[in-house]
Amino acid sequence: MVYGPWLVASLSVLRAALHRRRAVHSWTVVLLFSAIAMFLCAWQAPRTLSDSAAAALPGLASLISFQQVVRQITLSRPPRRTVSRHRQARAGSPGSTKGGGAGAARGESGRKPSAPRPLTGQGRPRGTTPRGGALR
């Protein structure tokens, strides 16, 4: 009754460590059932401090050893480099997948892409005219 949930939660923690995910709930179950196992072992031992400590020591040692195994798994596997879901690359920048032809390096018009113009107070780039109007 005690070691079944402990074993399942331990396997869940190992799986989460291999997939570089957090396993807070599983760690809680491991700690809870390890504490129950240590309490039951200490309760069955003779009523001296040294006997109770000796009875609880295997449960504590297994918990510490398991935590060290999980640390070895997570530290030996370097974190993956995440690729942004929204790439910031321009269509004409090197390494982009759009365009690809001769005009891709300079844009479709054949000119180098210019830096974006600063916006005016009306929310449009400077040097551009509003719809149907002239420059002010």
Side-chain angles (χ1 to χ4, degrees):
M1 293 299 286
V2 175
Y3 291 110
W6 183 89
L7 178 66
V8 171
S10 298
L11 292 174
S12 178
V13 167
L14 285 174
R15 183 173 186 263
L18 286 172
H19 291 287
R20 297 181 200 108
R21 294 187 180 136
R22 296 180 63 200
V24 177
H25 183 263
S26 298
W27 268 113
T28 304
V29 172
V30 168
L31 290 173
L32 175 69
F33 282 94
S34 292
I36 290 171
M38 286 188 289
F39 172 74
L40 291 175
C41 288
W43 187 39
Q44 292 289 54
R47 300 285 179 229
T48 64
L49 183 61
S50 62
D51 288 337
S52 295
L57 191 61
L60 181 64
S62 67
L63 183 64
I64 291 171
S65 299
F66 178 69
Q67 194 267 340
Q68 290 299 315
V69 166
V70 171
R71 281 194 68 191
Q72 285 293 321
I73 290 171
T74 56
L75 292 178
S76 66
R77 295 176 53 121
R80 288 185 280 188
R81 298 192 72 177
T82 58
V83 176
S84 175
R85 290 183 181 182
H86 305 289
R87 294 189 179 216
Q88 300 293 329
R90 292 183 185 170
S93 66
S96 75
T97 58
K98 292 184 179 180
R106 294 184 170 258
E108 294 304 318
S109 65
R111 294 182 298 171
K112 284 187 178 178
S114 61
R117 296 181 181 180
L119 296 178
T120 63
Q122 290 91 17
R124 56 181 165 70
R126 287 193 178 138
T128 60
T129 60
R131 288 189 180 176
L135 281 176
R136 294 183 193 181

